[in-house]
Amino acid sequence: MTAATTADVLERTRAFVRRVCLPAEARFGGHDVDPALRAELQEAARAAGVFAPHVGREHGGLGLGIADWPGVFEAAGYSLLGPAALNCAAPDEGNMHLLELTGTPAQQARYLAPLARGELRSCFAMTEPHPGAGSDPDALATTARRVDGGWRIDGAKRFISGADGAAFAICMARAPEGATMFLVDAGTPGFEVGRTMPATDTIVAGGHSEVVLHDCVVPEEAVLGEVGEGFRYAQVRLGPARLTHCMRWLGLARRAHDVALDRTAERELFGARLDQLGLAQGLIADSVIDLAASSALIQTAADALAAGRRAAQETSIAKVFVSEAVFRVVDRSIQLLGGDGVVHDLPVARFLTEVRPFRIYDGPSETHRWAISRRASRLRGAEREA
Ligand SMILES: Cc1cc2nc3c(=O)[nH]c(=O)nc-3n(C[C@H](O)[C@H](O)[C@H](O)COP(=O)(O)OP(=O)(O)OC[C@H]3O[C@@H](n4cnc5c(N)ncnc54)[C@H](O)[C@@H]3O)c2cc1C
């Protein structure tokens, strides 16, 4: 895609979010996007030429490369409804990317094609109850054993976003050869979606669920990619997926900042406009800096991924900084709005509880800081020896 058409998609996305998603927020009950509203918004996104911007053209998407995602995903994230409308919301977006890279043609036809068309939802099942996989994926306790004609999976998962209502799960389990990903259809005997865990965030379709796999038998064709390569594929999924979270949440932080700027431009206090009072200007300036730095770190990581690099350090740095910066920006916006910041007449109060979990999922800040520091020490060690 040429730069001109990428710019077109960006402009169309901004216009679509302003024209369709922001007004639709008034019809959004506040928990989960209703399937009928989601279908209506997706139809409108198709008509506006902004649907599935990240998906290859051969699968019906707009075919943008990852270096061109940041602006478009941020524009979608400006409304809580934008990512669902464009079909670039988590966890489906990350699963589409993984299926595009690792799925067989048959798996792509069966799972990726309908997912990319927005006909069904999916989930990604990795995290387990303690002492299983969480920050440390090596603790993976769900097992996969070969049986006649396929595999038997046993284990428990939790926090699985979108599991309730998903047509299939990409499930991580430990085979004798190592961690392996399996495509498990909803309705497979032994695959049970349990309790939805009440959480601070509400926007993910289906919420976050507990899942049990008990004597769950899947065929050989259910293996995604190679047996034993699950952790490598998890990185293929999680690097871009944590970056697209950064992009979308940056959009929401920018929205909160805009709401605060609009208010401070009109609110008179102590004989001055609020945006002319120094302490308020300090809050505004710090948010401008957080937004600009987030944008730059996201683009740096996206460019590194686009160049074919694993970009583990770049995506970790962006993930830590952006997940913390968007929280700060939303929090400052709330402060500038005064009491209106914490009541739900304005949308901003809600944004805080939507962005907070991002400092935990896709790797908590501490796990990433630990990894960033170890990579820095390793790199310096190699430089000393060179
Ligand atoms: C809203 C939400 C949605 C999610 N969606 C999914 C999903 O769809 N699929 C899925 O598989 N999982 C999902 N998760 C799970 C998420 O990935 C895990 O919560 C995360 O990996 C942390 O694991 P844990 O909760 O077991 O915390 P733990 O592993 O118990 O970690 C607890 C804390 O330990 C600290 N810590 C971690 N590493 C280090 C370190 N190296 N040094 C010092 N301190 C450290 C951090 O402060 C961390 O928060 C979701 C979680 C949330 C909150």
Side-chain angles (χ1 to χ4, degrees), residues 91 123-128 130 132-136 158-162 199 201 208 357 359-368 370-371:
C123 65
F124 183 76
M126 167 110 157
T127 305
E128 301 170 333
H130 301 168
S135 308
D136 180 3
R158 61 179 192 148
F159 298 122
I160 307 310
S161 303
D201 65 320
H208 316 292
R359 282 159 55 192
I360 293 169
Y361 58 73
D362 283 2
S365 291
E366 292 70 27
T367 316
H368 282 292
W370 179 65

Side-chain angles (χ1 to χ4, degrees), residues 105-125:
Q107 288 170 337
Q108 291 185 347
R110 179 163 170 189
Y111 297 102
L112 173 59
L115 194 58
R117 288 195 297 265
E119 292 166 3
L120 44 82
R121 291 199 287 101
S122 64
C123 65
F124 183 76

Side-chain angles (χ1 to χ4, degrees), residues 182-222:
F182 294 90
L183 289 155
V184 183
D185 291 329
T188 303
F191 176 82
E192 286 161 31
V193 177
R195 186 177 73 104
T196 301
M197 304 171 83
T200 65
D201 65 320
T202 59
I203 190 62
V204 176
H208 316 292
S209 296
E210 295 173 340
V211 172
V212 172
L213 297 117
H214 178 63
D215 221 350
C216 176
V217 176
V218 294
E220 193 60 47
E221 313 84 80

Side-chain angles (χ1 to χ4, degrees), residues 294-317:
S294 295
S295 195
L297 287 173
I298 290 169
Q299 193 63 56
T300 299
D303 289 344
L305 285 167
R309 297 185 23 224
R310 194 171 150 236
Q313 189 74 330
E314 290 90 339
T315 56
S316 280
I317 291 170

Side-chain angles (χ1 to χ4, degrees), residues 242-288:
R242 64 175 64 108
L243 205 56
T244 54
H245 269 307
C246 291
M247 299 169 194
R248 288 181 294 255
W249 290 135
L250 181 59
L252 202 67
R254 203 175 290 283
R255 167 97 171 278
H257 181 63
D258 285 351
V259 173
L261 283 178
D262 291 346
R263 167 60 61 84
T264 57
E266 66 179 25
R267 177 73 169 141
E268 298 269 348
L269 282 174
F270 305 102
R273 258 175 34 192
L274 186 51
D275 64 6
Q276 291 166 354
L277 293 174
L279 290 175
Q281 288 174 328
L283 293 176
I284 292 169
D286 285 347
S287 287
V288 171

Side-chain angles (χ1 to χ4, degrees), residues 3 11 21 31 79 84 111 143 157 166 198 207-208 215 225 229 241 304 334 370 382:
E11 200 33 60
C21 297
H31 203 288
S79 166
Y111 297 102
T143 58
K157 303 285 181 184
H208 316 292
D215 221 350
E229 294 292 329
I334 286 175
W370 179 65

